[in-house]
Amino acid sequence: MKHIYKEGSNKNLPTLLLLHGTGGNEQDLIPLANMIAQDASILSVRGNILENGMPRFFRRLAEGVFDEEDLVFRTNELNEFVTESADTYGFDRSNVVAIGYSNGANIAASMMYHHQRSLKGGILFHAMVPRRGVDLPNLSDTSVFIGAGKRDPLIPLEETKELVKDLEKANAKVSEFWVDGGHQLVREEVEKAKEWFDQTYRG
Ligand code: MLT
């Protein structure tokens, strides 16, 4: 997969897996990662799907309606890519934390729904429920920060709550942070995510 890898100065921190939103690319979330943990290594990936020229991580049938078969295929593909990259670049595969926005947050959530040890944690900005009717693996070693907008036109409040409930039921440690706005990512959420990251991974 097209990507950028940058080794960080602090090898004890998790490697940050950066996953952009629809129409984005592997450059997009680098400033965000620098705000959250400048000293961490990053693996920033471009989604393999193109929708009218816009990169994405999996196909959708309509806005908010996912192509489930493709979602599962792409989730496995990304999971394997992270494993190969750990080999190539020499980072710890068991210590990877995703930072995803929108479509990128959705595939990060999907990694958690389908694979037990794919991610040590995740910062999910404006994520949806990736899939329904599946049993999640035991996520007792997984910590998740969810940033959401109370007036997100793409993601009803109830859907974010359903995502939180699914993850908690699978024993993940979940922190929610709500902003008054919509689907856009705002600075307040990024600051909260940084606080959460520091508390969770710098102890
Ligand atoms: C998705 O397709 O993942 C969601 O609708 C969010 C987005 O627009 O990317």
Side-chain angles (χ1 to χ4, degrees):
M1 298 180 80
K2 202 157 190 266
H3 68 281
I4 296 170
Y5 178 76
K6 187 178 109 282
E7 194 173 272
S9 58
N10 186 344
K11 306 281 183 332
N12 295 321
L13 287 177
T15 294
L16 304 177
L17 172 66
L18 308 184
L19 304 166
H20 62 79
T22 298
N25 63 42
E26 67 280 13
Q27 306 278 351
D28 282 17
L29 299 193
I30 292 177
L32 191 69
N34 287 337
M35 285 169 76
I36 293 171
Q38 190 148 28
D39 46 350
S41 299
I42 57 167
L43 176 67
S44 189
V45 184
R46 184 187 297 194
N48 263 346
I49 294 298
L50 276 182
E51 183 189 272
N52 303 319
M54 295 184 298
R56 287 177 54 82
F57 286 96
F58 56 88
R59 289 184 205 287
R60 60 180 163 184
L61 307 172
E63 193 160 272
V65 186
F66 301 158
D67 177 335
E68 277 205 15
E69 200 182 313
D70 191 61
L71 172 66
V72 172
F73 180 83
R74 299 294 166 191
T75 301
N76 294 338
E77 180 184 54
L78 178 60
N79 188 42
E80 278 161 26
F81 177 72
V82 176
T83 302
E84 284 164 23
S85 300
D87 248 12
T88 311
Y89 298 114
F91 63 82
D92 179 359
R93 178 65 185 91
S94 67
N95 198 16
V96 175
V97 170
I99 301 181
Y101 168 65
S102 191
N103 183 245
N106 293 343
I107 197 149
S110 180
M111 286 170 91
M112 293 174 187
Y113 272 53
H114 293 103
H115 299 279
Q116 186 168 23
R117 271 176 264 279
S118 179
L119 295 172
K120 181 81 187 157
I123 294 176
L124 310 181
F125 293 119
H126 304 256
M128 300 165 101
V129 173
R131 218 181 155 196
R132 293 188 168 85
V134 290
D135 285 330
L136 274 66
N138 183 2
L139 298 173
S140 56
D141 290 331
T142 310
S143 300
V144 189
F145 175 93
I146 291 182
K150 286 181 198 156
R151 279 188 288 274
D152 190 327
L154 279 179
I155 313 171
L157 224 105
E158 297 72 40
E159 181 160 355
T160 304
K161 291 191 174 146
E162 187 184 340
L163 175 66
V164 171
K165 223 167 113 201
D166 281 357
L167 292 167
E168 283 180 339
K169 219 174 118 203
N171 304 315
K173 290 173 218 60
V174 185
S175 299
E176 300 166 49
F177 182 69
W178 292 84
V179 292
D180 279 330
H183 197 63
Q184 215 184 325
L185 183 59
V186 296
R187 176 171 281 271
E188 222 185 324
E189 287 171 86
V190 180
E191 286 167 357
K192 275 286 165 199
K194 179 183 168 43
E195 263 175 42
W196 173 88
F197 183 92
D198 287 345
Q199 277 162 13
T200 310
Y201 300 108
R202 292 187 201 269

